[in-house]
Coordinates of all heavy atoms in Angstrom, one line a residue:
E1 N 0.9 -1.2 -0.1 CA 0.0 0.0 0.0 C 0.9 1.3 0.0 O 0.6 2.1 -0.8 CB -0.9 -0.1 1.2 CG -1.8 1.1 1.3 CD -2.7 1.1 2.6 OE1 -3.5 0.1 2.7 OE2 -2.5 1.9 3.4
D2 N 1.9 1.3 0.9 CA 2.8 2.4 0.9 C 3.5 2.6 -0.4 O 3.9 3.6 -0.9 CB 3.7 2.3 2.1 CG 3.0 2.6 3.5 OD1 1.9 3.2 3.5 OD2 3.5 2.1 4.5
Y3 N 3.9 1.4 -1.0 CA 4.8 1.4 -2.2 C 3.9 2.2 -3.3 O 4.4 3.0 -3.9 CB 5.1 -0.1 -2.5 CG 5.8 -0.2 -3.8 CD1 7.2 -0.3 -3.9 CD2 5.1 -0.4 -5.1 CE1 7.9 -0.5 -5.0 CE2 5.9 -0.7 -6.2 CZ 7.2 -0.7 -6.2 OH 7.9 -0.9 -7.4
K4 N 2.7 1.7 -3.4 CA 1.9 2.3 -4.4 C 1.6 3.9 -4.2 O 1.7 4.6 -5.1 CB 0.5 1.6 -4.5 CG 0.5 0.2 -5.2 CD -0.8 -0.4 -5.0 CE -0.7 -1.9 -5.5 NZ -1.9 -2.6 -5.3
A5 N 1.4 4.3 -2.9 CA 1.2 5.6 -2.6 C 2.4 6.4 -2.9 O 2.3 7.6 -3.4 CB 0.9 5.7 -1.2
I6 N 3.7 5.9 -2.6 CA 4.9 6.6 -2.8 C 5.1 6.8 -4.3 O 5.5 7.9 -4.9 CB 6.1 5.9 -2.1 CG1 6.0 6.1 -0.6 CG2 7.4 6.5 -2.7 CD1 6.9 5.3 0.1
L7 N 4.9 5.7 -5.1 CA 5.0 5.8 -6.6 C 4.1 6.9 -7.1 O 4.6 7.5 -8.1 CB 4.8 4.4 -7.2 CG 6.0 3.4 -7.1 CD1 5.7 2.1 -7.8 CD2 7.3 4.0 -7.7
K8 N 2.9 6.9 -6.7 CA 1.9 7.7 -7.2 C 2.2 9.2 -6.8 O 2.0 10.1 -7.6 CB 0.5 7.4 -6.6 CG -0.6 8.3 -7.2 CD -1.9 7.8 -6.7 CE -3.1 8.6 -7.2 NZ -4.3 8.2 -6.7
N9 N 2.8 9.5 -5.6 CA 3.0 10.8 -5.2 C 4.4 11.0 -4.6 O 4.6 11.6 -3.5 CB 2.0 11.1 -4.0 CG 1.9 12.5 -3.7 OD1 2.3 13.4 -4.6 ND2 1.2 12.9 -2.6
Y10 N 5.4 10.6 -5.4 CA 6.8 10.6 -5.0 C 7.3 12.0 -4.7 O 8.2 12.2 -4.0 CB 7.7 9.8 -5.9 CG 7.8 10.5 -7.4 CD1 8.8 11.5 -7.6 CD2 6.9 10.2 -8.3 CE1 8.8 12.0 -8.8 CE2 7.0 10.7 -9.6 CZ 7.9 11.7 -9.8 OH 8.0 12.3 -11.0
Q11 N 6.8 13.0 -5.4 CA 7.2 14.4 -5.3 C 6.9 15.0 -4.0 O 7.5 16.0 -3.6 CB 6.7 15.3 -6.5 CG 7.3 14.8 -7.8 CD 6.8 15.7 -8.9 OE1 5.7 16.1 -9.0 NE2 7.6 15.8 -9.9
S12 N 5.9 14.4 -3.3 CA 5.6 14.9 -1.9 C 6.6 14.7 -0.9 O 6.6 15.2 0.2 CB 4.2 14.4 -1.5 OG 4.3 13.1 -1.2
H13 N 7.5 13.8 -1.2 CA 8.6 13.4 -0.3 C 9.9 14.1 -0.7 O 10.4 13.9 -1.8 CB 8.9 12.0 -0.2 CG 7.8 11.2 0.3 ND1 6.5 10.9 -0.4 CD2 7.7 10.4 1.4 CE1 5.8 10.1 0.3 NE2 6.4 9.9 1.4
P14 N 10.5 14.9 0.2 CA 11.8 15.6 -0.2 C 12.9 14.6 -0.3 O 12.9 13.6 0.3 CB 12.0 16.6 0.9 CG 11.3 15.9 2.1 CD 10.1 15.3 1.5
I15 N 13.9 14.8 -1.0 CA 15.2 14.1 -1.1 C 16.0 14.5 0.2 O 16.4 15.6 0.3 CB 15.9 14.2 -2.4 CG1 15.2 13.8 -3.5 CG2 17.3 13.6 -2.3 CD1 15.9 13.9 -4.9
N16 N 16.1 13.5 1.0 CA 16.9 13.7 2.2 C 18.1 12.8 2.3 O 18.1 11.8 2.8 CB 16.1 13.4 3.4 CG 14.9 14.4 3.6 OD1 15.0 15.6 3.4 ND2 13.8 13.8 4.0
P17 N 19.3 13.3 1.8 CA 20.5 12.5 1.8 C 21.0 12.5 3.2 O 20.8 13.4 4.0 CB 21.5 13.2 0.9 CG 20.9 14.5 0.9 CD 19.5 14.6 1.0
P18 N 21.6 11.3 3.6 CA 22.2 11.2 4.9 C 23.3 12.3 5.1 O 24.0 12.7 4.2 CB 23.0 9.9 4.9 CG 22.5 9.2 3.7 CD 21.9 10.2 2.8
L19 N 23.2 12.9 6.4 CA 24.2 14.0 6.6 C 25.6 13.4 6.8 O 26.5 14.1 6.5 CB 23.7 14.7 7.9 CG 22.3 15.4 7.8 CD1 22.0 16.0 9.2 CD2 22.4 16.4 6.7
S20 N 25.8 12.3 7.3 CA 27.0 11.7 7.6 C 27.6 11.1 6.4 O 26.9 10.3 5.7 CB 26.9 10.8 8.8 OG 27.8 9.7 8.7
Y21 N 28.9 11.3 6.1 CA 29.5 10.6 5.0 C 29.5 9.1 5.2 O 29.3 8.3 4.2 CB 31.0 11.1 4.8 CG 31.7 10.6 3.6 CD1 31.3 10.9 2.3 CD2 32.8 9.8 3.8 CE1 31.9 10.4 1.2 CE2 33.5 9.4 2.6 CZ 33.1 9.6 1.3 OH 33.6 9.2 0.2
D22 N 29.7 8.6 6.4 CA 29.7 7.2 6.7 C 28.3 6.6 6.4 O 28.2 5.5 5.8 CB 30.1 6.9 8.1 CG 31.7 7.0 8.3 OD1 32.4 7.1 7.4 OD2 32.0 7.0 9.6
R23 N 27.3 7.3 6.7 CA 25.9 6.8 6.4 C 25.7 6.8 4.9 O 25.1 5.8 4.4 CB 24.8 7.7 7.0 CG 24.8 7.6 8.6 CD 24.3 6.3 9.2 NE 23.0 6.1 8.7 CZ 22.5 4.8 8.6 NH1 23.2 3.8 8.8 NH2 21.2 4.7 8.2
R24 N 26.3 7.8 4.2 CA 26.1 7.7 2.7 C 26.8 6.5 2.2 O 26.3 5.8 1.3 CB 26.8 9.0 2.1 CG 26.0 10.2 2.3 CD 26.6 11.3 1.6 NE 25.9 12.6 2.1 CZ 26.6 13.7 2.0 NH1 27.6 14.0 1.4 NH2 25.9 14.9 2.5
L25 N 28.0 6.2 2.7 CA 28.7 5.1 2.2 C 28.0 3.7 2.5 O 28.0 2.8 1.6 CB 30.1 5.0 2.9 CG 31.1 6.0 2.3 CD1 32.4 6.0 3.0 CD2 31.2 6.0 0.8
E26 N 27.4 3.7 3.7 CA 26.6 2.5 4.1 C 25.5 2.2 3.2 O 25.2 1.2 2.7 CB 26.0 2.6 5.5 CG 27.2 2.5 6.6 CD 26.7 2.8 8.0 OE1 25.4 3.0 8.1 OE2 27.5 3.0 8.9
R27 N 24.7 3.4 2.8 CA 23.6 3.2 1.9 C 24.1 2.9 0.5 O 23.5 2.1 -0.2 CB 22.8 4.6 1.9 CG 21.9 4.7 3.1 CD 20.9 5.8 2.9 NE 20.1 6.0 4.1 CZ 19.3 7.0 4.2 NH1 19.2 7.9 3.3 NH2 18.6 7.1 5.3
L28 N 25.2 3.5 0.0 CA 25.8 3.1 -1.3 C 26.1 1.7 -1.3 O 25.9 1.0 -2.3 CB 27.0 4.1 -1.6 CG 27.7 3.8 -3.0 CD1 26.7 4.0 -4.1 CD2 28.9 4.6 -3.1
F29 N 26.7 1.2 -0.2 CA 27.1 -0.2 -0.2 C 25.8 -1.2 -0.3 O 25.9 -2.1 -1.1 CB 27.9 -0.5 1.1 CG 28.2 -1.9 1.4 CD1 29.2 -2.5 0.7 CD2 27.6 -2.7 2.4 CE1 29.6 -3.8 0.8 CE2 28.0 -4.0 2.6 CZ 29.0 -4.6 1.9
D30 N 24.9 -0.8 0.4 CA 23.6 -1.7 0.4 C 23.0 -1.5 -1.0 O 22.5 -2.6 -1.6 CB 22.6 -1.2 1.4 CG 23.1 -1.4 2.8 OD1 23.9 -2.4 3.0 OD2 22.5 -0.9 3.8
L31 N 22.9 -0.4 -1.6 CA 22.3 -0.2 -2.9 C 23.2 -0.8 -4.0 O 22.5 -1.5 -4.9 CB 22.1 1.2 -3.1 CG 21.1 1.9 -2.2 CD1 21.1 3.4 -2.4 CD2 19.6 1.4 -2.5

């Protein structure tokens, strides 16, 4: 349900990159 709602209205969510460089690296690793 949330997946469909996000796809339909993705622009209502701001892009919030992680503030910490280590967190960015962790997310990049996972992705």
Side-chain angles (χ1 to χ4, degrees):
E1 181 180 295
D2 289 338
Y3 180 89
K4 288 177 187 173
I6 290 169
L7 282 180
K8 183 177 181 178
N9 197 13
Y10 66 90
Q11 292 179 329
S12 68
H13 293 73
I15 294 178
N16 295 320
L19 297 177
S20 147
Y21 186 63
D22 285 347
R23 293 292 297 151
R24 287 182 195 163
L25 291 176
E26 288 172 9
R27 285 192 182 172
L28 179 63
F29 177 69
D30 291 340
L31 295 168

